[in-house]
Amino acid sequence: MPRYRMIVEYEGTGYSGWQRQQAGVLSIQEAIERAILASGQEEATVHACGRTDAGVHARGQVAHVTLAKNWPPFKLMEAVNFHLKPQPIALLDVSIVPDDWHARFSCIGRWYRYRILCRRAPPALDKGRVWSVGYKLDPNAMQAGADRLLGRHDFTSFRASLCQADSPIRTLDRLEVRAVEDEIQITAAARSFLHHQVRNMVGTLALVGQGKWTPDDVTRALEARDRSAAGPTAPAEGLYFMGAVYPEE
């Protein structure tokens, strides 16, 4: 039974997130599984590198599926994409991987990007794809705050109350803030993240960008190990799962 690695792009608006939910609530996972069933009359479970929340998007989600039928990868990609239409979900690449390769457990790194639109006019083309704040943010101040979060820490202050991770300890390898025209783009990379960690860090850095907080306030929030000590959770619509790293790459 061949195992296939898939690179998936999707626009998460209107979906419950990656994870399959109860009947009547469509998820990205279920949409792809339905397309596989329609392609080859075969029920299969698709496993992802990371589960994205409702409204979160992906440019490079990594997933795998094991099938009974031996498909040429390109043919499988074309068939699944055909049955995904007109949904905003697409397989960008499909390849055969070893039987013990796992999209989640073989992964050694993940990275996300968050987009904040900093202008008075609301987004017309990117509605639902950016956090539109309506005011300017200082990227240099935000980067100074972001630097306080780099490294290995207890990220309890940036963890959702419903997070199921065994430990709040994570190592943040990269947290980069840059201005791109009217946007602030924040890139975060780590081996793994806590539930809502990126969105909570972004909400906190936005306070620094507004001048309401200083980088020292970010350090105090981190050291408090208390969710109420950090900033608000940024909206899901600005977050993108960009890609994953594996040992063989």
Side-chain angles (χ1 to χ4, degrees):
M1 297 177 67
R3 178 165 292 190
Y4 297 90
R5 166 177 166 161
M6 303 179 293
I7 308 298
V8 190
E9 178 180 270
Y10 51 86
E11 207 271 356
T13 305
Y15 292 87
S16 63
W18 170 269
Q19 185 84 357
R20 189 190 308 106
Q21 303 292 325
Q22 66 271 23
V25 183
L26 187 60
S27 66
I28 304 295
Q29 179 186 24
E30 183 180 356
I32 297 173
E33 290 172 351
R34 286 182 179 182
I36 291 173
L37 178 61
S39 299
Q41 303 302 310
E42 180 176 350
E43 291 188 355
T45 299
V46 178
H47 303 270
C49 169
R51 293 177 292 182
T52 52
D53 291 331
V56 175
H57 318 298
R59 293 189 180 275
Q61 175 69 276
V62 182
H64 81 263
V65 65
T66 302
L67 300 176
K69 181 178 178 180
N70 192 352
W71 289 79
F74 180 77
K75 185 176 180 180
L76 176 61
M77 181 178 70
E78 290 284 281
V80 173
N81 281 339
F82 175 82
H83 289 288
L84 281 169
K85 295 178 182 178
Q87 299 180 85
I89 307 170
L91 304 190
L92 305 183
D93 184 69
V94 174
S95 59
I96 296 177
V97 290
D99 293 345
D100 61 351
W101 189 91
H102 196 285
R104 178 183 175 191
F105 299 121
S106 298
C107 181
I108 59 172
R110 298 160 174 84
W111 65 290
Y112 290 82
R113 179 162 293 151
Y114 197 97
R115 298 172 60 197
I116 307 175
L117 183 65
C118 303
R119 71 182 192 199
R120 290 288 299 171
L125 298 179
D126 280 330
K127 181 178 174 59
R129 299 174 185 175
V130 294
W131 177 20
S132 178
V133 297
Y135 45 78
K136 297 295 183 181
L137 296 171
D138 182 346
N140 294 324
M142 294 174 72
Q143 184 63 67
D147 291 342
R148 303 297 183 93
L149 299 175
L150 290 172
R152 184 175 175 83
H153 302 288
D154 181 327
F155 281 98
T156 296
S157 296
F158 301 90
R159 177 186 192 180
S161 60
L162 298 179
C163 181
Q164 298 178 355
D166 293 334
S167 169
I169 306 297
R170 291 294 184 271
T171 300
L172 188 60
D173 298 315
R174 179 185 178 194
L175 192 59
E176 179 181 283
V177 181
R178 65 173 185 152
V180 182
E181 297 181 344
D182 290 331
E183 288 187 19
I184 295 291
Q185 296 184 359
I186 301 174
T187 301
R191 185 181 185 94
S192 63
F193 291 89
L194 300 167
H195 190 203
H196 286 180
Q197 181 181 344
V198 175
R199 290 168 58 192
N200 290 336
M201 293 190 301
V202 169
T204 298
L205 294 180
L207 294 176
V208 179
Q210 294 176 69
K212 294 181 177 180
W213 277 32
T214 68
D216 287 342
D217 291 320
V218 177
T219 298
R220 281 191 283 270
L222 177 67
E223 293 176 346
R225 300 179 184 179
D226 181 347
R227 177 68 192 97
S228 66
T233 305
E237 59 199 27
L239 185 60
Y240 295 74
F241 186 102
M242 299 298 292
V245 180
Y246 294 87
E248 67 272 17
E249 298 174 344

